[in-house]
Amino acid sequence: MEILNNLFWLFLLLSFLSPLFQRQMLELARARSLQALERRRNSRLITLIHRQEAIALLGLPLSRYIDIDDSEQVLRAIRLTDPQVPIDLVLHTPGGLVLAAEQIAEALLRHPAKVTVFVPHYAMSGGTLIALAADEIVMDANAVLGPVDPQLGQYPAVSILKVLEQKPIDKIDDETLIMADQARKALLQVKATAKNLLQKHLDETQAEALAHKLSQGTWTHDYPISAEEAKSMGLPISTEMPAEVYNLMELYPQPRGSRPSVQYVPLPYRREGPKPR
């Protein structure tokens, strides 16, 4: 009887420790995969990966988006990278907070060495805004980008402004008028950011036209921009996705519970210094 009792407690202990052990092994595999790709490309590799997660017990879906925590971590990774060391960013996201996406995009734009964004599946909305800052956007042949038109709550900014065109001013409530004012400002701000990023690849006239097309409600917000269409727009698109990026994505399965969405080796890198092992 004592042996059965000991076995029971041992089983409970192993059941408790097993998920922790598996998580540690997964984190170790990710770190090794990141460092292996860094060594091959002689770069700093950052991941910005958002999966839809489930809340333990309830099993309710919890969507992940680009937020201030993400921008803080990505900016720190960039600060820890020598200006002459290239940056590779693996991007898998539905988008998120415009402020956070703009911070990341502007920081990447200012990095002197080559910036490459890898899109193995999708980078929509704010994810596309970040991709525009790259010197090269490497997409899977079936991956997509998306429009960057701002959203106010659940409504597209451009659609809110349509109300002013279709109804007399005295028939529109104050809240809608206030939202329309905010929508107009948001459209101008995002277009200006997109134009500034696009001038890395296009002349001013072309950048202005493409920024307008991407930010002013040409399509629905979830319109998929394929690699072919993005390339035809003048974006620096390649479909030569390294196999290591796909392998890395396999190490980010649909998790149970929360985890950091930004990951990198937290050490300063120098071109002339020793390579990370």
Side-chain angles (χ1 to χ4, degrees):
M1 186 67 181
E2 184 177 350
I3 294 177
L4 290 177
N5 188 54
N6 290 338
L7 289 175
F8 172 74
W9 287 108
L10 179 61
F11 173 76
L12 287 182
L13 180 62
L14 291 175
S15 298
F16 175 75
L17 292 178
S18 179
L20 298 178
F21 177 74
Q22 291 176 356
R23 184 176 181 84
Q24 289 299 316
M25 293 299 292
L26 184 59
E27 293 290 342
L28 181 60
R30 288 174 182 167
R32 287 174 175 170
S33 183
L34 260 69
Q35 289 182 315
L37 189 52
E38 285 179 336
R39 285 195 297 268
R40 187 172 80 79
R41 292 179 55 83
N42 194 27
S43 67
R44 157 82 72 183
L45 178 63
I46 307 169
T47 65
L48 182 53
I49 297 173
H50 295 111
R51 296 286 197 189
Q52 182 172 317
E53 300 182 353
I55 301 174
L57 301 179
L58 298 178
L60 299 175
L62 175 66
S63 297
R64 300 290 304 278
Y65 298 101
I66 301 169
D67 59 20
I68 290 297
D69 287 338
D70 290 336
S71 64
E72 182 180 357
Q73 290 300 312
V74 174
L75 266 58
R76 179 171 183 263
I78 295 171
R79 286 196 302 272
L80 289 173
T81 306
D82 188 280
Q84 301 307 312
V85 173
I87 288 178
D88 292 334
L89 175 65
V90 177
L91 195 55
H92 176 84
T93 180
L97 190 64
V98 174
L99 171 60
E102 288 183 348
Q103 281 186 299
I104 295 171
E106 295 288 349
L108 292 174
L109 185 67
R110 285 190 289 269
H111 187 69
K114 183 179 180 181
V115 174
T116 304
V117 167
F118 296 95
V119 183
H121 184 59
Y122 77 150
M124 305 296 285
S125 189
T128 297
L129 199 65
I130 292 171
L132 296 182
D135 295 287
E136 183 180 23
I137 306 171
V138 181
M139 299 174 64
D140 179 85
N142 298 303
V144 295
L145 303 176
V148 299
D149 56 307
Q151 311 291 294
L152 270 64
Q154 60 181 320
Y155 303 116
V158 68
S159 297
I160 296 173
L161 289 180
K162 287 289 184 183
V163 176
L164 303 186
E165 300 175 7
Q166 298 174 0
K167 294 180 69 174
I169 193 72
D170 59 341
K171 300 296 184 181
I172 304 174
D173 63 88
D174 291 347
E175 183 177 355
T176 302
L177 291 173
I178 293 171
M179 289 182 65
D181 178 62
Q182 293 298 305
R184 184 180 293 106
K185 293 172 182 174
L187 286 164
L188 290 173
Q189 290 166 193
V190 173
K191 180 181 177 180
T193 298
K195 179 182 177 181
N196 181 52
L197 297 172
L198 287 166
Q199 287 186 103
K200 188 174 189 176
H201 315 293
L202 306 171
D203 63 40
E204 184 174 0
T205 301
Q206 293 172 322
E208 168 77 22
L210 184 52
H212 183 91
K213 188 173 186 179
L214 290 173
S215 68
Q216 303 300 296
T218 305
W219 310 282
T220 59
H221 193 59
D222 61 352
Y223 175 77
I225 300 174
S226 67
E228 293 83 357
E229 185 172 7
K231 190 171 185 178
S232 71
M233 293 175 178
L235 297 180
I237 302 296
S238 166
T239 54
E240 300 298 321
M241 182 73 69
E244 292 92 338
V245 173
Y246 296 120
N247 296 335
L248 179 63
M249 288 297 295
E250 291 296 322
L251 298 176
Y252 290 84
Q254 186 79 326
R256 296 285 178 178
S258 62
R259 60 159 176 79
S261 53
V262 176
Q263 187 171 0
Y264 56 92
V265 182
L267 296 172
Y269 285 15
R270 299 289 184 268
R271 175 172 289 276
E272 301 299 329
K275 302 293 189 302
R277 297 181 179 179

